[in-house]
Each structure stands twice: as structure tokens, then as C-alpha cells.
């Protein structure tokens, strides 16, 4: 199984999109194993967005991500689900993201772009470990799995 970390960003919280976004992941068939609200700080953002640390807009990203709490999800799905989630979320810029994707349906910005989703299986595992303590993650059987995945 593959795991993804989702951050429902401050713009979504302010715009009342949290339920809609969680619903899209649920309807896709993904299993929710963790959910919480947190206020991010510079330390976690500098770790999470280390690949952008030398960009001129890095300060803006941090200010935006600290502007209100975020809702953090840990999702589990079968093989290929990390990529499927990225497809569901859409490309970085909302104004270019295809209709039907979360960013394409709700965003018009490359900065305030609604959600973060892990971009690889490796990063999914490490990002979930970054944002969740082990006692905040839940193991359970999702009884619709046989209908979602077949045999
Ligand atoms: P993604 O979130 O699609 O994986 P990146 O990892 O490249 O994209 O960027 C991380 C986040 O940094 C983006 O989701 C967005 O919020 C912000 N960002 C990326 N590029 C820009 C930019 N040119 N200007 C402002 N913010 C940006």
C-alpha cells in the first residue's frame, strides 16, 4: 500500500473548502488513517519545503502557510495511489490546472494552491512521519476495499 500526506492549505480553510477536499479523496476510494489541524512554524516548513529554500518566494510560502492553521491528512491506497492523488490534485498553478482537478476547480494561483500532496512513495512515508506521531495514525479495515479494488 502507498501512503500520501495531504496539507489542506490556509486558503482552503479560509474559503470553506475543507469538507469538499476531504470528500474528493474519500470518494476516490482512499483510506483516511490520520486527520488533524495544526499551526505550522518555520522549522517544519523549512524541512518540508527544503527544495524551495533558495527561491525568492520562499518567505512568501512560509508566511502563507503560517497565515492560519492547516488540516493534515494521511491517506492510504493501493499501488499507484500516490500518483493518482497527484493527478486528482492537479499541477501546481491553479490557473493552469485542468478542470476536474482540485486545483483546477478551486484555484487561480500558483502560491495559494489549495493543497499539498506527496510527490513520491518515499516522500509520502517521510512526510507522514514528519507531521504525525504514531499514536495519531489508525489501523483499521475499510470494508469497501473489495468493491474499490476488486480481487
Ligand atoms: P507542488 O506543491 O505542486 O508539488 P512545488 O513542490 O514545486 O509544487 O512547490 C511547493 C509549493 O510552493 C507550491 O504548492 C506553491 O504553494 C509554492 N510555489 C511553487 N512555485 C511558486 C511560485 N513560483 N511562486 C509562489 N509560490 C510557489
Amino acid at each position: 500500500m502507498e501512503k500520501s500526506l495531504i496539507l489542506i492549505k490556509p486558503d482552503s480553510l479560509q474559503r470553506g473548502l475543507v469538507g469538499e477536499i476531504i470528500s474528493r479523496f474519500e470518494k476516490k476510494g482512499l483510506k483516511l488513517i490520520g486527520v488533524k489541524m495544526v499551526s505550522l512554524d518555520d522549522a517544519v516548513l523549512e524541512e518540508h519545503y527544503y527544495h524551495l529554500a533558495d527561491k525568492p518566494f520562499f518567505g512568501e510560502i512560509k508566511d502563507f502557510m503560517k497565515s492560519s492553521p492547516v488540516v493534515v491528512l494521511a491517506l492510504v491506497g493501493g499501488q499507484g495511489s500516490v500518483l493518482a492523488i497527484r493527478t486528482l490534485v492537479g499541477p501546481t498553478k491553479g490557473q493552469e490546472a485542468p478542470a476536474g482537478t482540485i486545483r483546477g476547480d478551486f484555484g487561480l494561483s500558483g502560491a495559494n494552491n489549495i493543497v499539498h500532496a506527496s510527490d513520491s512513495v518515499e516522500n509520502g512515508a517521510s512526510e507522514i512521519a514528519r507531521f504525525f506521531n504514531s499514536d495519531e495514525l489508525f489501523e483499521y479495515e475499510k470494508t469497501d476495499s473489495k468493491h474499490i479494488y476488486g480481487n
Side-chain angles (χ1 to χ4, degrees):
M1 301 300 274
E2 297 183 3
K3 295 180 180 176
S4 286
L5 179 91
I6 305 296
L7 301 177
I8 305 181
K9 296 185 178 185
D11 52 336
S12 302
L13 199 65
Q14 294 293 347
R15 294 174 55 200
L17 295 172
V18 173
E20 168 80 31
I21 291 165
I22 294 175
S23 180
R24 290 203 176 195
F25 293 122
E26 284 187 305
K27 286 174 186 162
K28 181 71 171 171
L30 294 151
K31 178 175 167 181
L32 191 57
I33 59 163
V35 56
K36 64 178 179 178
M37 181 181 277
V38 295
S39 290
L40 302 179
D41 59 21
D42 283 335
V44 73
L45 286 167
E46 281 161 17
E47 203 182 326
H48 185 66
Y49 285 133
Y50 70 94
H51 59 295
L52 300 174
D54 59 352
K55 301 286 187 195
F57 51 83
F58 190 50
E60 286 169 42
I61 295 177
K62 289 195 289 181
D63 288 345
F64 164 58
M65 294 297 287
K66 292 185 295 183
S67 64
S68 73
V70 299
V71 175
V72 192
L73 310 179
L75 298 175
V76 175
Q79 190 179 6
S81 61
V82 167
L83 179 59
I85 289 169
R86 291 279 292 185
T87 302
L88 211 62
V89 165
T92 306
K93 295 183 178 176
Q95 64 272 45
E96 295 174 4
T101 65
I102 291 171
R103 287 171 170 166
D105 284 353
F106 301 123
L108 281 169
S109 164
N112 294 22
N113 62 358
I114 316 293
V115 288
H116 163 82
S118 305
D119 65 2
S120 68
V121 174
E122 295 71 28
N123 285 342
S126 63
E127 289 175 358
I128 286 175
R130 177 177 303 141
F131 284 92
F132 285 95
N133 299 319
S134 55
D135 64 356
E136 297 171 325
L137 296 168
F138 296 83
E139 297 269 350
Y140 64 98
E141 185 191 356
K142 194 159 184 288
T143 56
D144 61 2
S145 292
K146 61 177 181 260
H147 303 293
I148 292 166
Y149 297 105
N151 294 321

